Amino acid sequence: MLSTQHEVFLEVARRLSFTKAGQSLFLSQSAVSKQVKALEEYYRVGLFERLGNAVALTPAGQLLYRKLLQAQQLQAELREEMAALSPRFTPDIHMVIGASTTVSLYVLPAVLSAYLAAHPRTQLTLKNRNSENILKALLDHEIDLGVIEGIHRVSNVTYTPLLTDDVVAVCSARNPLRHQQLALTDLYRVPLALREAGSGTLAVLEQALQAQRIRLADLRVQVRLGGTEALKNFVRVDDQVLAFLPRQSVARALAAGELAEVVVRDLPLKRHFEFIQRRGTENLAPFREFMQFALRHYSEQE
């Protein structure tokens, strides 16, 4: 088992911030500093360079970070293999899942609740960021498992399909567009409100437009907002803009008449949600079991 000091070091190394590591671990900054100092005294070498308010890993810190990531992987494998040999060995499982904004808000809550009810010895942490940052968090070993959509693939990550959803064009119920069907050429004149760069929803829209030889840069993008809820709430109160949002995120607002769906002809928008894992972790039981549980849950909903 990794010591508390090593766990604290790993969090500081991931975030390159004593303050952020303390917030993540629910420790004071002084407590974090004390643990790191104890490691530096043990190894008799500095692990971090203090650069004003920022920190960077020294060569010794980089070495320790790489080795501890390997140790974490071996620890997870040992726990799994020991449980297979000894049925009485049932350690608590801590799993950190990262998901894009839409997934965190509208896709995962139901399956997380059902999974925890069936696996009471599991503790889950869900981190909510856009798809691009979830991929980075996975590669930085900040999360164990991710769920993203609409992003380019990288070679050291495995992808497992979860479900498919539509992205729809919506506007305020007071917007004159609400009764119209738009042609692709109409998008050049309509003011748009869009998600921020790195959003999976935005990536899906950009890809669909590119397939129709339309550049997003040529359209009237008036505002970009970080997060699905922020964009949805903006469209509710603005009578001019058109937005593209996941159907799951606007279903209630459409049913309540707060938003109206606008058909854009010849612009099919499909999002494909996928689990992402670092290569080499695919067969670890906790991750495999959670993914299988989620896949069963959503197949039963269809």
Side-chain angles (χ1 to χ4, degrees):
M1 297 292 290
L2 295 182
S3 69
T4 300
Q5 291 171 352
H6 286 115
E7 295 283 5
V8 171
F9 168 82
L10 274 171
E11 195 64 20
V12 179
R14 287 189 189 105
R15 296 176 173 273
L16 293 178
S17 168
F18 283 73
T19 301
K20 291 179 180 178
Q23 292 170 347
S24 176
L25 296 168
F26 301 101
L27 295 173
S28 66
Q29 185 172 338
S30 62
V32 171
S33 298
K34 183 178 179 180
Q35 299 286 0
V36 171
K37 184 179 179 181
L39 273 184
E40 291 179 324
E41 290 176 351
Y42 176 77
Y43 290 115
R44 298 183 180 275
V45 67
L47 300 173
F48 294 99
E49 292 182 38
R50 277 72 170 179
L51 309 170
N53 293 328
V55 296
L57 286 165
T58 64
Q62 293 172 3
L63 172 63
L64 182 60
Y65 184 52
R66 290 196 303 271
K67 294 298 183 181
L68 288 179
L69 291 178
Q70 294 173 12
Q72 272 192 329
Q73 178 78 10
L74 288 172
Q75 182 173 277
E77 293 173 3
L78 174 61
R79 185 182 294 118
E80 181 173 340
E81 292 175 19
M82 195 63 73
L85 291 172
S86 173
R88 295 173 60 190
F89 178 61
T90 55
D92 291 341
I93 295 170
H94 302 273
M95 195 185 319
V96 183
I97 300 171
S100 59
T101 305
T102 302
V103 179
S104 295
L105 291 174
Y106 305 104
V107 176
L108 280 184
V111 73
L112 291 179
S113 176
Y115 186 82
L116 289 172
H119 300 80
R121 296 187 66 89
T122 298
Q123 182 183 48
L124 295 176
T125 298
L126 177 62
K127 298 193 174 185
N128 172 13
R129 300 174 189 173
N130 69 30
S131 290
E132 187 174 279
N133 287 327
I134 287 299
L135 178 59
K136 182 179 184 301
L138 182 79
L139 296 175
D140 289 344
H141 291 252
E142 190 177 334
I143 60 175
D144 301 313
L145 185 67
V147 185
I148 62 172
E149 20 109 18
I151 199 165
H152 299 298
R153 293 171 180 260
V154 296
S155 60
N156 53 343
V157 170
T158 59
Y159 298 79
T160 304
L162 175 58
L163 55 85
T164 301
D165 186 28
D166 297 322
V167 173
V168 295
V170 296
C171 67
S172 161
R174 299 177 300 279
N175 191 319
L177 292 174
R178 68 190 184 279
H179 297 309
Q180 298 183 31
Q181 281 197 14
L182 301 182
L184 286 172
T185 52
D186 292 327
L187 294 178
Y188 289 102
R189 63 174 178 81
V190 175
L192 300 178
L194 301 178
R195 285 285 307 276
E196 80 286 0
S199 156
T201 302
L202 180 65
V204 169
L205 174 62
E206 285 187 293
Q207 290 168 4
L209 290 172
Q210 287 171 2
Q212 300 295 332
R213 299 183 179 179
I214 296 174
R215 295 195 320 146
L216 193 59
D218 294 333
L219 303 183
R220 291 183 57 196
V221 180
Q222 286 200 332
V223 62
R224 291 178 182 266
L225 293 158
T228 300
E229 285 298 301
L231 180 54
K232 184 169 68 175
N233 289 333
F234 181 84
V235 177
R236 270 200 190 100
V237 300
D238 189 286
D239 296 346
Q240 302 299 318
V241 300
L242 183 73
F244 291 86
L245 284 161
R247 183 177 294 281
Q248 291 195 52
S249 72
V250 295
R252 290 185 180 179
L254 290 171
E258 298 170 352
L259 296 176
E261 184 174 348
V262 178
V263 175
V264 182
R265 295 192 296 274
D266 302 318
L267 191 67
L269 297 170
K270 289 279 187 184
R271 297 181 314 160
H272 301 282
F273 294 120
E274 295 177 302
F275 283 112
I276 56 172
Q277 296 172 273
R278 291 183 298 276
R279 289 197 182 276
T281 67
E282 298 93 337
N283 292 321
L284 290 178
F287 309 151
R288 185 177 66 247
E289 289 171 3
F290 178 80
M291 291 169 58
Q292 291 171 346
F293 187 94
L295 289 167
R296 286 196 303 270
H297 178 89
Y298 288 112
S299 66
E300 291 167 0
Q301 306 300 311
E302 294 177 354

PDB file of all heavy atoms in Angstrom, residues 58-86:
ATOM      1  N   THR A  58      11.223  18.469  -9.717  1.00  0.00           N
ATOM      2  CA  THR A  58      12.651  18.341  -9.968  1.00  0.00           C
ATOM      3  C   THR A  58      12.888  17.004 -10.684  1.00  0.00           C
ATOM      4  O   THR A  58      11.972  16.169 -10.774  1.00  0.00           O
ATOM      5  CB  THR A  58      13.429  18.353  -8.642  1.00  0.00           C
ATOM      6  OG1 THR A  58      13.052  17.186  -7.893  1.00  0.00           O
ATOM      7  CG2 THR A  58      13.145  19.607  -7.847  1.00  0.00           C
ATOM      8  N   PRO A  59      14.076  16.736 -11.189  1.00  0.00           N
ATOM      9  CA  PRO A  59      14.356  15.408 -11.771  1.00  0.00           C
ATOM     10  C   PRO A  59      14.040  14.274 -10.801  1.00  0.00           C
ATOM     11  O   PRO A  59      13.490  13.234 -11.202  1.00  0.00           O
ATOM     12  CB  PRO A  59      15.851  15.483 -12.099  1.00  0.00           C
ATOM     13  CG  PRO A  59      16.080  16.933 -12.395  1.00  0.00           C
ATOM     14  CD  PRO A  59      15.201  17.670 -11.426  1.00  0.00           C
ATOM     15  N   ALA A  60      14.358  14.459  -9.500  1.00  0.00           N
ATOM     16  CA  ALA A  60      14.027  13.424  -8.512  1.00  0.00           C
ATOM     17  C   ALA A  60      12.512  13.298  -8.357  1.00  0.00           C
ATOM     18  O   ALA A  60      11.976  12.184  -8.211  1.00  0.00           O
ATOM     19  CB  ALA A  60      14.677  13.766  -7.165  1.00  0.00           C
ATOM     20  N   GLY A  61      11.822  14.433  -8.403  1.00  0.00           N
ATOM     21  CA  GLY A  61      10.371  14.399  -8.306  1.00  0.00           C
ATOM     22  C   GLY A  61       9.733  13.711  -9.498  1.00  0.00           C
ATOM     23  O   GLY A  61       8.769  12.952  -9.357  1.00  0.00           O
ATOM     24  N   GLN A  62      10.277  13.951 -10.691  1.00  0.00           N
ATOM     25  CA  GLN A  62       9.769  13.287 -11.891  1.00  0.00           C
ATOM     26  C   GLN A  62       9.962  11.779 -11.803  1.00  0.00           C
ATOM     27  O   GLN A  62       9.072  11.011 -12.186  1.00  0.00           O
ATOM     28  CB  GLN A  62      10.469  13.852 -13.124  1.00  0.00           C
ATOM     29  CG  GLN A  62      10.129  15.305 -13.415  1.00  0.00           C
ATOM     30  CD  GLN A  62      10.992  15.887 -14.518  1.00  0.00           C
ATOM     31  OE1 GLN A  62      11.816  15.194 -15.118  1.00  0.00           O
ATOM     32  NE2 GLN A  62      10.815  17.169 -14.777  1.00  0.00           N
ATOM     33  N   LEU A  63      11.137  11.363 -11.310  1.00  0.00           N
ATOM     34  CA  LEU A  63      11.399   9.926 -11.147  1.00  0.00           C
ATOM     35  C   LEU A  63      10.422   9.306 -10.159  1.00  0.00           C
ATOM     36  O   LEU A  63       9.825   8.251 -10.436  1.00  0.00           O
ATOM     37  CB  LEU A  63      12.838   9.714 -10.659  1.00  0.00           C
ATOM     38  CG  LEU A  63      13.213   8.284 -10.263  1.00  0.00           C
ATOM     39  CD1 LEU A  63      13.114   7.342 -11.455  1.00  0.00           C
ATOM     40  CD2 LEU A  63      14.604   8.233  -9.636  1.00  0.00           C
ATOM     41  N   LEU A  64      10.242   9.957  -9.019  1.00  0.00           N
ATOM     42  CA  LEU A  64       9.331   9.420  -8.008  1.00  0.00           C
ATOM     43  C   LEU A  64       7.906   9.357  -8.544  1.00  0.00           C
ATOM     44  O   LEU A  64       7.187   8.373  -8.312  1.00  0.00           O
ATOM     45  CB  LEU A  64       9.387  10.283  -6.743  1.00  0.00           C
ATOM     46  CG  LEU A  64       8.506   9.812  -5.576  1.00  0.00           C
ATOM     47  CD1 LEU A  64       8.892   8.403  -5.122  1.00  0.00           C
ATOM     48  CD2 LEU A  64       8.601  10.794  -4.402  1.00  0.00           C
ATOM     49  N   TYR A  65       7.499  10.378  -9.279  1.00  0.00           N
ATOM     50  CA  TYR A  65       6.144  10.413  -9.838  1.00  0.00           C
ATOM     51  C   TYR A  65       5.920   9.237 -10.790  1.00  0.00           C
ATOM     52  O   TYR A  65       4.916   8.529 -10.696  1.00  0.00           O
ATOM     53  CB  TYR A  65       5.928  11.744 -10.554  1.00  0.00           C
ATOM     54  CG  TYR A  65       4.529  11.940 -11.101  1.00  0.00           C
ATOM     55  CD1 TYR A  65       3.403  11.760 -10.299  1.00  0.00           C
ATOM     56  CD2 TYR A  65       4.330  12.307 -12.431  1.00  0.00           C
ATOM     57  CE1 TYR A  65       2.119  11.945 -10.797  1.00  0.00           C
ATOM     58  CE2 TYR A  65       3.052  12.498 -12.945  1.00  0.00           C
ATOM     59  CZ  TYR A  65       1.954  12.307 -12.124  1.00  0.00           C
ATOM     60  OH  TYR A  65       0.685  12.490 -12.621  1.00  0.00           O
ATOM     61  N   ARG A  66       6.865   9.003 -11.693  1.00  0.00           N
ATOM     62  CA  ARG A  66       6.723   7.885 -12.638  1.00  0.00           C
ATOM     63  C   ARG A  66       6.644   6.549 -11.909  1.00  0.00           C
ATOM     64  O   ARG A  66       5.804   5.699 -12.230  1.00  0.00           O
ATOM     65  CB  ARG A  66       7.902   7.871 -13.621  1.00  0.00           C
ATOM     66  CG  ARG A  66       7.918   8.994 -14.625  1.00  0.00           C
ATOM     67  CD  ARG A  66       8.878   8.676 -15.768  1.00  0.00           C
ATOM     68  NE  ARG A  66      10.233   8.411 -15.298  1.00  0.00           N
ATOM     69  CZ  ARG A  66      11.162   9.351 -15.131  1.00  0.00           C
ATOM     70  NH1 ARG A  66      10.885  10.617 -15.362  1.00  0.00           N
ATOM     71  NH2 ARG A  66      12.383   9.018 -14.724  1.00  0.00           N
ATOM     72  N   LYS A  67       7.494   6.366 -10.918  1.00  0.00           N
ATOM     73  CA  LYS A  67       7.526   5.090 -10.205  1.00  0.00           C
ATOM     74  C   LYS A  67       6.265   4.884  -9.369  1.00  0.00           C
ATOM     75  O   LYS A  67       5.754   3.763  -9.256  1.00  0.00           O
ATOM     76  CB  LYS A  67       8.761   5.020  -9.311  1.00  0.00           C
ATOM     77  CG  LYS A  67      10.079   4.986 -10.073  1.00  0.00           C
ATOM     78  CD  LYS A  67      10.187   3.749 -10.971  1.00  0.00           C
ATOM     79  CE  LYS A  67      11.521   3.676 -11.670  1.00  0.00           C
ATOM     80  NZ  LYS A  67      11.615   2.483 -12.572  1.00  0.00           N
ATOM     81  N   LEU A  68       5.744   5.964  -8.789  1.00  0.00           N
ATOM     82  CA  LEU A  68       4.529   5.823  -7.984  1.00  0.00           C
ATOM     83  C   LEU A  68       3.313   5.519  -8.842  1.00  0.00           C
ATOM     84  O   LEU A  68       2.413   4.800  -8.412  1.00  0.00           O
ATOM     85  CB  LEU A  68       4.294   7.090  -7.155  1.00  0.00           C
ATOM     86  CG  LEU A  68       5.258   7.312  -5.987  1.00  0.00           C
ATOM     87  CD1 LEU A  68       4.934   8.615  -5.274  1.00  0.00           C
ATOM     88  CD2 LEU A  68       5.208   6.139  -5.004  1.00  0.00           C
ATOM     89  N   LEU A  69       3.275   6.045 -10.062  1.00  0.00           N
ATOM     90  CA  LEU A  69       2.182   5.688 -10.975  1.00  0.00           C
ATOM     91  C   LEU A  69       2.235   4.196 -11.294  1.00  0.00           C
ATOM     92  O   LEU A  69       1.203   3.519 -11.349  1.00  0.00           O
ATOM     93  CB  LEU A  69       2.258   6.515 -12.260  1.00  0.00           C
ATOM     94  CG  LEU A  69       1.946   8.012 -12.124  1.00  0.00           C
ATOM     95  CD1 LEU A  69       2.106   8.704 -13.474  1.00  0.00           C
ATOM     96  CD2 LEU A  69       0.539   8.240 -11.579  1.00  0.00           C
ATOM     97  N   GLN A  70       3.430   3.690 -11.500  1.00  0.00           N
ATOM     98  CA  GLN A  70       3.580   2.248 -11.733  1.00  0.00           C
ATOM     99  C   GLN A  70       3.161   1.458 -10.494  1.00  0.00           C
ATOM    100  O   GLN A  70       2.528   0.406 -10.591  1.00  0.00           O
ATOM    101  CB  GLN A  70       5.028   1.935 -12.101  1.00  0.00           C
ATOM    102  CG  GLN A  70       5.469   2.529 -13.421  1.00  0.00           C
ATOM    103  CD  GLN A  70       6.962   2.344 -13.669  1.00  0.00           C
ATOM    104  OE1 GLN A  70       7.637   1.593 -12.964  1.00  0.00           O
ATOM    105  NE2 GLN A  70       7.489   3.031 -14.674  1.00  0.00           N
ATOM    106  N   ALA A  71       3.543   1.971  -9.317  1.00  0.00           N
ATOM    107  CA  ALA A  71       3.182   1.292  -8.073  1.00  0.00           C
ATOM    108  C   ALA A  71       1.674   1.272  -7.872  1.00  0.00           C
ATOM    109  O   ALA A  71       1.114   0.277  -7.381  1.00  0.00           O
ATOM    110  CB  ALA A  71       3.861   1.985  -6.890  1.00  0.00           C
ATOM    111  N   GLN A  72       1.002   2.354  -8.231  1.00  0.00           N
ATOM    112  CA  GLN A  72      -0.462   2.390  -8.134  1.00  0.00           C
ATOM    113  C   GLN A  72      -1.083   1.298  -9.007  1.00  0.00           C
ATOM    114  O   GLN A  72      -2.031   0.628  -8.593  1.00  0.00           O
ATOM    115  CB  GLN A  72      -0.990   3.756  -8.572  1.00  0.00           C
ATOM    116  CG  GLN A  72      -1.065   4.787  -7.483  1.00  0.00           C
ATOM    117  CD  GLN A  72      -1.868   5.994  -7.921  1.00  0.00           C
ATOM    118  OE1 GLN A  72      -1.891   6.355  -9.087  1.00  0.00           O
ATOM    119  NE2 GLN A  72      -2.526   6.630  -6.972  1.00  0.00           N
ATOM    120  N   GLN A  73      -0.559   1.166 -10.208  1.00  0.00           N
ATOM    121  CA  GLN A  73      -1.077   0.139 -11.115  1.00  0.00           C
ATOM    122  C   GLN A  73      -0.849  -1.258 -10.533  1.00  0.00           C
ATOM    123  O   GLN A  73      -1.751  -2.105 -10.535  1.00  0.00           O
ATOM    124  CB  GLN A  73      -0.376   0.269 -12.470  1.00  0.00           C
ATOM    125  CG  GLN A  73      -0.778  -0.768 -13.499  1.00  0.00           C
ATOM    126  CD  GLN A  73      -2.114  -0.448 -14.138  1.00  0.00           C
ATOM    127  OE1 GLN A  73      -2.647   0.627 -13.957  1.00  0.00           O
ATOM    128  NE2 GLN A  73      -2.661  -1.417 -14.843  1.00  0.00           N
ATOM    129  N   LEU A  74       0.346  -1.506 -10.018  1.00  0.00           N
ATOM    130  CA  LEU A  74       0.645  -2.809  -9.417  1.00  0.00           C
ATOM    131  C   LEU A  74      -0.225  -3.056  -8.188  1.00  0.00           C
ATOM    132  O   LEU A  74      -0.668  -4.186  -7.939  1.00  0.00           O
ATOM    133  CB  LEU A  74       2.129  -2.879  -9.029  1.00  0.00           C
ATOM    134  CG  LEU A  74       3.122  -2.994 -10.185  1.00  0.00           C
ATOM    135  CD1 LEU A  74       4.547  -2.844  -9.672  1.00  0.00           C
ATOM    136  CD2 LEU A  74       2.945  -4.323 -10.906  1.00  0.00           C
ATOM    137  N   GLN A  75      -0.486  -2.022  -7.414  1.00  0.00           N
ATOM    138  CA  GLN A  75      -1.327  -2.155  -6.229  1.00  0.00           C
ATOM    139  C   GLN A  75      -2.739  -2.574  -6.608  1.00  0.00           C
ATOM    140  O   GLN A  75      -3.344  -3.442  -5.964  1.00  0.00           O
ATOM    141  CB  GLN A  75      -1.355  -0.817  -5.485  1.00  0.00           C
ATOM    142  CG  GLN A  75      -2.151  -0.819  -4.196  1.00  0.00           C
ATOM    143  CD  GLN A  75      -1.973   0.494  -3.450  1.00  0.00           C
ATOM    144  OE1 GLN A  75      -1.007   0.684  -2.728  1.00  0.00           O
ATOM    145  NE2 GLN A  75      -2.903   1.415  -3.646  1.00  0.00           N
ATOM    146  N   ALA A  76      -3.261  -1.961  -7.689  1.00  0.00           N
ATOM    147  CA  ALA A  76      -4.598  -2.322  -8.150  1.00  0.00           C
ATOM    148  C   ALA A  76      -4.630  -3.768  -8.643  1.00  0.00           C
ATOM    149  O   ALA A  76      -5.579  -4.517  -8.367  1.00  0.00           O
ATOM    150  CB  ALA A  76      -5.039  -1.369  -9.259  1.00  0.00           C
ATOM    151  N   GLU A  77      -3.585  -4.184  -9.377  1.00  0.00           N
ATOM    152  CA  GLU A  77      -3.527  -5.557  -9.878  1.00  0.00           C
ATOM    153  C   GLU A  77      -3.395  -6.554  -8.724  1.00  0.00           C
ATOM    154  O   GLU A  77      -4.021  -7.624  -8.741  1.00  0.00           O
ATOM    155  CB  GLU A  77      -2.355  -5.693 -10.847  1.00  0.00           C
ATOM    156  CG  GLU A  77      -2.532  -4.899 -12.132  1.00  0.00           C
ATOM    157  CD  GLU A  77      -1.287  -4.912 -13.000  1.00  0.00           C
ATOM    158  OE1 GLU A  77      -0.304  -5.592 -12.619  1.00  0.00           O
ATOM    159  OE2 GLU A  77      -1.286  -4.234 -14.046  1.00  0.00           O
ATOM    160  N   LEU A  78      -2.577  -6.208  -7.729  1.00  0.00           N
ATOM    161  CA  LEU A  78      -2.402  -7.087  -6.573  1.00  0.00           C
ATOM    162  C   LEU A  78      -3.714  -7.264  -5.826  1.00  0.00           C
ATOM    163  O   LEU A  78      -4.080  -8.380  -5.434  1.00  0.00           O
ATOM    164  CB  LEU A  78      -1.341  -6.517  -5.641  1.00  0.00           C
ATOM    165  CG  LEU A  78      -1.136  -7.250  -4.306  1.00  0.00           C
ATOM    166  CD1 LEU A  78      -0.686  -8.684  -4.553  1.00  0.00           C
ATOM    167  CD2 LEU A  78      -0.130  -6.506  -3.436  1.00  0.00           C
ATOM    168  N   ARG A  79      -4.441  -6.176  -5.624  1.00  0.00           N
ATOM    169  CA  ARG A  79      -5.727  -6.242  -4.917  1.00  0.00           C
ATOM    170  C   ARG A  79      -6.688  -7.177  -5.646  1.00  0.00           C
ATOM    171  O   ARG A  79      -7.370  -7.986  -5.033  1.00  0.00           O
ATOM    172  CB  ARG A  79      -6.308  -4.833  -4.796  1.00  0.00           C
ATOM    173  CG  ARG A  79      -7.590  -4.753  -3.979  1.00  0.00           C
ATOM    174  CD  ARG A  79      -8.147  -3.353  -3.945  1.00  0.00           C
ATOM    175  NE  ARG A  79      -7.262  -2.449  -3.219  1.00  0.00           N
ATOM    176  CZ  ARG A  79      -6.660  -1.390  -3.750  1.00  0.00           C
ATOM    177  NH1 ARG A  79      -6.820  -1.117  -5.035  1.00  0.00           N
ATOM    178  NH2 ARG A  79      -5.884  -0.624  -3.018  1.00  0.00           N
ATOM    179  N   GLU A  80      -6.698  -7.072  -6.976  1.00  0.00           N
ATOM    180  CA  GLU A  80      -7.611  -7.899  -7.761  1.00  0.00           C
ATOM    181  C   GLU A  80      -7.214  -9.372  -7.714  1.00  0.00           C
ATOM    182  O   GLU A  80      -8.058 -10.254  -7.521  1.00  0.00           O
ATOM    183  CB  GLU A  80      -7.614  -7.400  -9.204  1.00  0.00           C
ATOM    184  CG  GLU A  80      -8.554  -8.164 -10.110  1.00  0.00           C
ATOM    185  CD  GLU A  80      -8.643  -7.528 -11.482  1.00  0.00           C
ATOM    186  OE1 GLU A  80      -8.306  -6.344 -11.610  1.00  0.00           O
ATOM    187  OE2 GLU A  80      -9.068  -8.229 -12.412  1.00  0.00           O
ATOM    188  N   GLU A  81      -5.921  -9.657  -7.864  1.00  0.00           N
ATOM    189  CA  GLU A  81      -5.467 -11.044  -7.867  1.00  0.00           C
ATOM    190  C   GLU A  81      -5.602 -11.681  -6.492  1.00  0.00           C
ATOM    191  O   GLU A  81      -5.929 -12.866  -6.361  1.00  0.00           O
ATOM    192  CB  GLU A  81      -4.026 -11.109  -8.359  1.00  0.00           C
ATOM    193  CG  GLU A  81      -3.881 -10.745  -9.833  1.00  0.00           C
ATOM    194  CD  GLU A  81      -2.443 -10.691 -10.289  1.00  0.00           C
ATOM    195  OE1 GLU A  81      -1.580 -11.273  -9.593  1.00  0.00           O
ATOM    196  OE2 GLU A  81      -2.171 -10.065 -11.336  1.00  0.00           O
ATOM    197  N   MET A  82      -5.377 -10.897  -5.445  1.00  0.00           N
ATOM    198  CA  MET A  82      -5.526 -11.419  -4.092  1.00  0.00           C
ATOM    199  C   MET A  82      -6.984 -11.732  -3.788  1.00  0.00           C
ATOM    200  O   MET A  82      -7.297 -12.751  -3.142  1.00  0.00           O
ATOM    201  CB  MET A  82      -4.982 -10.413  -3.080  1.00  0.00           C
ATOM    202  CG  MET A  82      -4.764 -10.987  -1.695  1.00  0.00           C
ATOM    203  SD  MET A  82      -3.506 -12.301  -1.675  1.00  0.00           S
ATOM    204  CE  MET A  82      -2.012 -11.335  -1.899  1.00  0.00           C
ATOM    205  N   ALA A  83      -7.883 -10.895  -4.271  1.00  0.00           N
ATOM    206  CA  ALA A  83      -9.316 -11.140  -4.070  1.00  0.00           C
ATOM    207  C   ALA A  83      -9.754 -12.418  -4.778  1.00  0.00           C
ATOM    208  O   ALA A  83     -10.627 -13.148  -4.290  1.00  0.00           O
ATOM    209  CB  ALA A  83     -10.125  -9.945  -4.559  1.00  0.00           C
ATOM    210  N   ALA A  84      -9.121 -12.712  -5.918  1.00  0.00           N
ATOM    211  CA  ALA A  84      -9.458 -13.946  -6.636  1.00  0.00           C
ATOM    212  C   ALA A  84      -9.006 -15.183  -5.869  1.00  0.00           C
ATOM    213  O   ALA A  84      -9.657 -16.232  -5.916  1.00  0.00           O
ATOM    214  CB  ALA A  84      -8.829 -13.920  -8.026  1.00  0.00           C
ATOM    215  N   LEU A  85      -7.888 -15.063  -5.137  1.00  0.00           N
ATOM    216  CA  LEU A  85      -7.362 -16.191  -4.367  1.00  0.00           C
ATOM    217  C   LEU A  85      -8.027 -16.329  -2.998  1.00  0.00           C
ATOM    218  O   LEU A  85      -8.100 -17.430  -2.451  1.00  0.00           O
ATOM    219  CB  LEU A  85      -5.848 -16.030  -4.183  1.00  0.00           C
ATOM    220  CG  LEU A  85      -4.995 -16.182  -5.442  1.00  0.00           C
ATOM    221  CD1 LEU A  85      -3.550 -15.811  -5.140  1.00  0.00           C
ATOM    222  CD2 LEU A  85      -5.086 -17.612  -5.969  1.00  0.00           C
ATOM    223  N   SER A  86      -8.498 -15.224  -2.461  1.00  0.00           N
ATOM    224  CA  SER A  86      -9.057 -15.236  -1.111  1.00  0.00           C
ATOM    225  C   SER A  86     -10.426 -14.551  -1.104  1.00  0.00           C
ATOM    226  O   SER A  86     -10.510 -13.320  -1.055  1.00  0.00           O
ATOM    227  CB  SER A  86      -8.111 -14.509  -0.144  1.00  0.00           C
ATOM    228  OG  SER A  86      -8.716 -14.387   1.133  1.00  0.00           O
TER     229      SER A  86
END
